[in-house]
Amino acid sequence: MLSVSLAGIKLENPLMLASGILDQNGYTMKRILEKGAGAAVTKSIGKEPRSGYVPPIVSVIEGGLINAVGLSNPGIRNISGEIKIAKESNKPVIGSIFGATPDEFLSLAASMQDFGVDAVELNLSCPHVKGVGTEVGSDPSLVKEIVKTLKGSLRIPVFSKLSPNVNSVLEIANAAIDSDGLVLINTVKGMAIDVYARRPVLSNGFGGLSGPAIRPVGIRYVYEVKKELDPLIIGVGGIENGIHAIEYFMAGASAVQIGTALMKYGCQIFSNISREIGEFMKAEGFQELDQMVGAGIL
Amino acid sequence: MIHSKITEKIRETPSTCTLKFEWDAAVLPGQFIMIWIPGYGEIPMSISDTGNPKAITVKAYGPPSARLQELGVNDKLFFRGPYGVPFTEVKERKLIIGSGSGMACLMPLVDSKSTVMISAKKASELLYRGKINAENVIYITDDGSEGTRGFPDTVLRDFDTKEFHMVYVCGPEAMMYKVLGILSARQNRAEFSLERSMKCGIGICDSCSIDGIQLCRDGPVIGIERLKNSIEFGRSKLDHSGKRIRVEI
Ligand SMILES: Cc1cc2nc3c(=O)[nH]c(=O)nc-3n(C[C@H](O)[C@H](O)[C@H](O)COP(=O)(O)OP(=O)(O)OC[C@H]3O[C@@H](n4cnc5c(N)ncnc54)[C@H](O)[C@@H]3O)c2cc1C
Ligand SMILES: Cc1cc2nc3c(=O)[nH]c(=O)nc-3n(C[C@H](O)[C@H](O)[C@H](O)COP(=O)(O)O)c2cc1C
Ligand code: FES
């Protein structure tokens, strides 16, 4: 009842581990997949190793958390071993990548494909590192070119992850429309100041807000993009239970990703949400997940 | 973020000092805090005295811990926690094995039924020297400048552990790995406090993970049975970037 096919990738349930949360070490991804996630997205990987920002990299607030991890990653040449370990779960692993140019994205994506990932997710949306992420993802012509370059050369599906921190999400979604799917949304730019220390908590100053506080923002963009452009959408932002996931389905998402909620609920959250979705479908008379997708759009 | 003030500063060794501060939270032996040194970083520190005032015992390595040592009485402390799974406490006789700053997290377990093996490179680096109120204290130094010359594992090899209901271990991974090897062949219950780089402290960044579990949340205290089957302990870990590197044993 919960299985879903995304651009040809079969998932036993529509719940994916979001990029950047517990997905750096292959053994962690493997465990989360074995505990019930339908697929896992790796941490965003670039060309060279990056240590990321010095802690504090997170600040917990009511309604979620603000992070500026700084895209720490081991570099593309050091990630294949972790992917191999994660794939021992026999579940789909999606490789998230970030870069500055179409060529850079292509070389990263081709390596990911060689490492055996089931799809790539383009991080066009990290809010806190200069020259990549949102800085690339807010330029419609660059986004279009990146997607075109990758679609022309890869065998595996390409998903584009978009930022809410742009003038028009719809314009960027349109630029990325040739992707096999859009992932909405990345974190919302934010900041926290400790009044006793009289300075921002995060070493980077500002960061990205995630968790329940951003769910209405995510729902709104999924709804708007689905209604206007009708692409395949993977919804992400603030999901903590089955009802939240269903809200995303009804706004137009075919699958969802979960990140920050792992802080509160641990990796049990995937099997719990699967159960809750199943119970809802039974009670409300849905046979297939597909019947719920976009069911809330007027 | 919780904030408090340093009420007392005690120099323990040339590289280590204890900072005491008021904090009326329930903290159990083995738990830790993430302590923020504004402008320098945020690092995990065990609570070395779980009473009130509480204490941390800091060894200077890089900029954050070195800066923490420069603070004095009345300076502010910023932290969050307590985090982590504590040690399982037992009423019977216990053996405590601590090396270097690893002794800090074991200190709250020490009582009159404890035998404590404490080791350091040389006599001047022995933490809490002369301050441990236990049934028996065995000092071990690499150079023999105090107590037995050698390492905890060399001493443990010829030491009868049958009478101890629990063995608690914390120190460099190479030491813990060797101790695990020795205890694996015996019947002792044992718990180890492990260390990996900790960036978030709340179970989301994956920097502290070992065998799929997060030490900041499901550790840092791990039981011997789980550790015996570990794939990563004593073998590999991820550096700050996430690159897999070998653990030197
Ligand atoms: C659970 C636990 C309890 C501990 N308890 C104690 C204790 O009681 N007493 C004690 O002395 N020690 C303790 N430690 C060890 C202590 O936390 C480390 O010694 C300390 O983190 C080292 O700090 P440092 O000053 O060398 O800082 P650094 O090593 O410079 O940095 C500290 C942390 O910042 C991050 N970091 C540093 N540089 C970078 C970079 N370039 N990019 C991204 N991130 C970076 C890493 O997460 C690193 O661990 C404990 C460790 C753990 C895991
Ligand atoms: C600590 C942390 C690190 C993240 N790192 C990445 C990343 O590397 N790449 C990426 O595309 N998104 C990253 N994100 C964003 C998440 O994948 C997700 O889009 C966002 O957190 C909203 O979902 P949530 O509310 O379920 O966490 C990160 C989020 C958090 C909290
Ligand atoms: S320190 Fe981030 S998961 Fe443990």
Side-chain angles (χ1 to χ4, degrees):
Chain A
M1 182 159 80
L2 293 188
S3 67
V4 51
S5 172
L6 295 178
I9 309 170
K10 297 232 172 336
L11 273 65
E12 75 178 35
N13 68 60
L15 313 174
M16 306 161 58
L17 176 67
S19 178
I21 294 95
L22 296 180
D23 53 2
Q24 190 175 25
N25 187 319
Y27 294 107
T28 311
M29 285 188 272
K30 183 180 171 195
R31 176 160 181 261
I32 289 174
L33 288 162
E34 287 171 351
K35 289 261 177 190
V41 186
T42 68
K43 191 158 182 53
S44 294
I45 306 295
K47 248 166 71 180
E48 298 300 331
R50 269 179 71 96
S51 290
Y53 299 133
V54 167
I57 56 157
V58 294
S59 172
V60 178
I61 57 151
E62 323 86 272
L65 63 89
I66 310 174
N67 91 81
V69 173
L71 288 176
S72 61
N73 81 94
I76 190 75
R77 63 183 172 281
N78 294 312
I79 195 67
S80 63
E82 307 308 316
I83 290 171
K84 204 167 146 199
I85 296 165
K87 291 284 296 179
E88 287 170 11
S89 63
N90 290 319
K91 288 194 171 175
V93 173
I94 294 164
S96 171
I97 53 178
F98 70 91
T101 64
D103 284 349
E104 200 178 325
F105 270 101
L106 179 59
S107 118
L108 292 166
S111 298
M112 281 288 189
Q113 180 172 276
D114 291 344
F115 301 157
V117 300
D118 296 86
V120 288
E121 183 178 286
L122 315 183
N123 180 346
L124 301 168
S125 43
C126 174
H128 52 66
V129 177
K130 271 211 147 348
V132 295
T134 306
E135 290 195 17
V136 174
S138 56
D139 177 345
S141 56
L142 186 53
V143 167
K144 203 174 175 65
E145 205 188 326
I146 292 168
V147 171
K148 192 171 148 217
T149 307
L150 267 63
K151 276 308 295 170
S153 313
L154 295 183
R155 295 187 306 274
I156 53 175
V158 176
F159 300 131
S160 293
K161 183 166 178 184
L162 307 185
S163 168
N165 310 304
V166 294
N167 286 338
S168 165
V169 171
L170 215 47
E171 185 186 17
I172 304 296
N174 201 23
I177 201 74
D178 290 334
S179 317
D180 297 279
L182 302 181
V183 184
L184 291 162
I185 56 173
N186 208 312
T187 53
V188 179
K189 232 172 168 175
M191 183 185 261
I193 288 175
D194 187 288
V195 297
Y196 296 98
R198 307 177 195 183
R199 61 188 293 152
V201 177
L202 299 176
S203 67
N204 185 55
F206 68 88
L209 175 63
S210 62
I214 68 165
R215 197 171 61 248
V217 183
I219 294 287
R220 177 253 169 143
Y221 283 124
V222 170
Y223 183 103
E224 193 173 72
V225 171
K226 187 71 178 177
K227 186 169 175 165
E228 300 301 324
L229 306 172
D230 198 25
L232 176 87
I233 295 181
I234 300 167
V236 50
I239 296 170
E240 292 199 321
N241 60 40
I243 297 302
H244 297 160
I246 293 160
E247 194 182 355
Y248 270 99
F249 298 144
M250 292 199 176
S254 299
V256 293
Q257 297 180 351
I258 296 162
T260 301
L262 276 108
M263 161 177 87
K264 240 199 251 172
Y265 302 98
C267 56
Q268 270 324 104
I269 192 167
F270 292 98
S271 57
N272 288 345
I273 294 188
S274 280
R275 197 193 61 243
E276 288 163 10
I277 295 173
E279 287 166 2
F280 176 87
M281 288 172 69
K282 219 163 168 187
E284 292 288 311
F286 289 102
Q287 278 80 44
E288 300 290 332
L289 222 92
D290 232 16
Q291 296 170 309
M292 296 197 287
V293 176
I297 299 178
L298 299 177
Chain B
M1 199 71 74
I2 304 160
H3 61 104
S4 180
K5 271 192 179 144
I6 298 172
T7 55
E8 195 184 345
K9 181 178 182 178
I10 305 156
R11 168 76 34 212
E12 304 284 2
T13 73
S15 63
T16 310
C17 71
T18 293
L19 302 175
K20 298 207 164 201
F21 57 100
E22 299 283 335
W23 182 30
D24 66 351
V27 181
L28 296 167
Q31 291 190 299
F32 68 95
I33 55 176
M34 291 297 289
I35 184 151
W36 178 37
I37 308 97
Y40 292 83
E42 189 183 40
I43 53 177
M45 279 289 139
S46 305
I47 297 293
S48 59
D49 185 340
T50 51
N52 202 8
K54 304 240 172 344
I56 52 172
T57 300
V58 188
K59 183 167 173 135
Y61 288 100
S65 51
R67 174 66 192 152
L68 203 47
Q69 290 223 351
E70 287 168 14
L71 300 181
V73 171
N74 280 331
D75 280 335
K76 282 181 188 157
L77 283 185
F78 299 92
F79 55 92
R80 52 197 176 93
Y83 294 128
V85 176
F87 288 111
T88 309
E89 293 187 71
V90 295
K91 292 199 170 58
E92 300 89 347
R93 298 184 75 195
K94 52 198 160 193
L95 175 62
I96 293 171
I97 306 174
S99 285
S101 54
M103 193 57 213
C105 74
L106 300 167
M107 202 53 181
L109 292 166
V110 175
D111 62 11
S112 59
K113 287 187 172 163
S114 316
T115 291
V116 179
M117 278 186 194
I118 175 163
S119 76
K121 286 202 176 71
K122 50 183 189 231
S124 61
E125 303 249 309
L126 279 168
L127 201 51
Y128 310 123
R129 186 161 58 143
K131 290 194 210 168
I132 300 174
N133 293 315
E135 186 183 13
N136 186 12
V137 182
I138 302 164
Y139 292 110
I140 305 164
T141 49
D142 297 7
D143 65 358
S145 53
E146 172 135 3
T148 311
R149 181 196 197 110
F151 304 100
D153 54 288
T154 51
V155 175
L156 188 65
R157 204 161 288 137
D158 303 318
F159 188 84
D160 188 355
T161 52
K162 268 203 229 63
E163 61 186 301
F164 299 106
H165 283 250
M166 182 70 100
V167 184
Y168 302 100
V169 193
C170 186
E173 192 149 325
M175 179 281 269
M176 292 199 283
Y177 189 75
K178 287 173 189 150
V179 168
L180 173 69
I182 295 167
L183 292 179
S184 291
R186 303 181 186 177
Q187 303 303 315
N188 290 99
R189 279 173 78 197
E191 289 182 340
F192 296 71
S193 180
L194 307 193
E195 184 173 345
R196 283 290 181 271
S197 151
M198 281 187 186
K199 291 189 181 181
C200 77
I202 50 175
I204 57 160
C205 78
D206 210 17
S207 71
C208 71
S209 298
I210 184 162
D211 304 322
I213 66 159
Q214 287 63 61
L215 287 184
C216 64
R217 180 191 174 106
D218 305 320
V221 174
I222 303 286
I224 187 166
E225 290 309 321
R226 187 165 208 169
L227 214 51
K228 276 185 200 168
N229 299 317
S230 173
I231 299 168
E232 295 187 84
F233 180 67
R235 294 191 181 87
S236 70
K237 62 180 180 182
L238 304 187
D239 70 8
H240 291 330
S241 76
K243 181 178 162 191
R244 193 168 287 280
I245 53 175
R246 266 188 36 204
V247 170
E248 298 300 332
I249 294 295

